[in-house]
Each structure stands twice: as structure tokens, then as C-alpha cells.
Amino acid sequence: HVQLVESGGGSAQVGGSLRLSCAASGYTYRRNCMGWFRQAPGKEREGVASIWRNRKVTYYADSVKGRFTISKIVANNTLYLQMDSLKPEDTAMYYCGVRPNSNCLAGVPAAADFRFFGQGTQVTVS
């Protein structure tokens, strides 16, 4: 079965950096769309970034463009999110998601389009 395990969350100061990781297992398709999402208390889960086509195509939410970088190591099927210049509004629970055997849809990823999510990792910026 598909399993996603996030790690790397924690507390950071404004302007600081964090790097999130997501270890994916349970599927072997070569074409997959993977993405990062976040959910703050009282808000809906929103898309942050997605990646597909062997890491060559990426999409970002406007709020994180230029500050966050999504990447993936294909060999070990691990997804990363490098977060720089953090802001208090980046505080949220961060989730990775996957659409196995599928392309990414153009634009900011929508949680409703993803079938599997991890348990999340908390990011707090103050």
C-alpha cells in the first residue's frame, strides 16, 4: 500500500530556513505527480508546490515562489521542500501527497486531485 512519511518540520525564526522530506513507498509507477500541501488551523488544505516529469516540471503557489524549492530524488523516491526566507504566515501543518501513475495538472496543486497524503509535519515560524 502507498505510504508517505514526512519529516523535517519544527520551529524557525522569521527569515530562517527548514527542509522537509517525504519518504514515499508502496508504488512503482515511473510517472507520478508529487506535491506539498499545508493546512493552518481553521483553514482548508492548500497546495504549495508540485513536481513531475522526472523533476523537470514544477509548479508553485504565488505565496512561496522564490522562497521554496521542491525537489525529488528518484533513486530513493524521496520528495523535499527547501523553505527559505520563512514568514509567520508559513506556519502550518505540511503534508506531502502523490498521484501515482499520473501527470501533474498545470498550476498550483489542488488537494482534491491527490489520492494519498502523509501524516504531516508541523512548521512554526515566529
Side-chain angles (χ1 to χ4, degrees):
H1 64 283
V2 176
Q3 188 171 16
L4 303 172
V5 180
E6 301 96 336
S7 61
S11 298
Q13 293 184 339
V14 173
S17 299
L18 286 173
R19 188 190 194 206
L20 305 184
S21 301
C22 173
S25 61
Y27 61 95
T28 57
Y29 301 112
R30 295 184 62 183
R31 182 185 64 166
N32 306 288
C33 174
M34 297 191 76
W36 285 100
F37 301 82
R38 65 187 182 186
Q39 188 168 16
K43 295 188 176 181
E44 294 186 355
R45 189 170 297 187
E46 64 173 358
V48 174
S50 61
I51 186 169
W52 71 292
R53 276 192 176 175
N54 202 23
R55 303 159 292 172
K56 294 181 180 179
V57 179
T58 57
Y59 300 105
Y60 293 93
D62 288 343
S63 59
V64 306
K65 280 181 183 177
R67 301 188 298 119
F68 290 10
T69 304
I70 189 172
S71 62
K72 178 182 175 183
I73 294 181
V74 176
N76 60 10
N77 210 14
T78 300
L79 184 71
Y80 300 96
L81 185 68
Q82 177 66 41
M83 305 187 296
D84 299 317
S85 301
L86 285 164
K87 303 176 180 180
E89 50 264 43
D90 295 320
T91 295
M93 185 71 80
Y94 282 72
Y95 301 88
C96 71
V98 65
R99 286 161 49 99
N101 197 27
S102 177
N103 301 333
C104 283
L105 300 177
V108 178
D113 295 330
F114 281 68
R115 184 175 176 186
F116 302 100
F117 292 93
Q119 82 290 347
T121 185
Q122 177 67 38
V123 171
T124 302
V125 184
S126 59

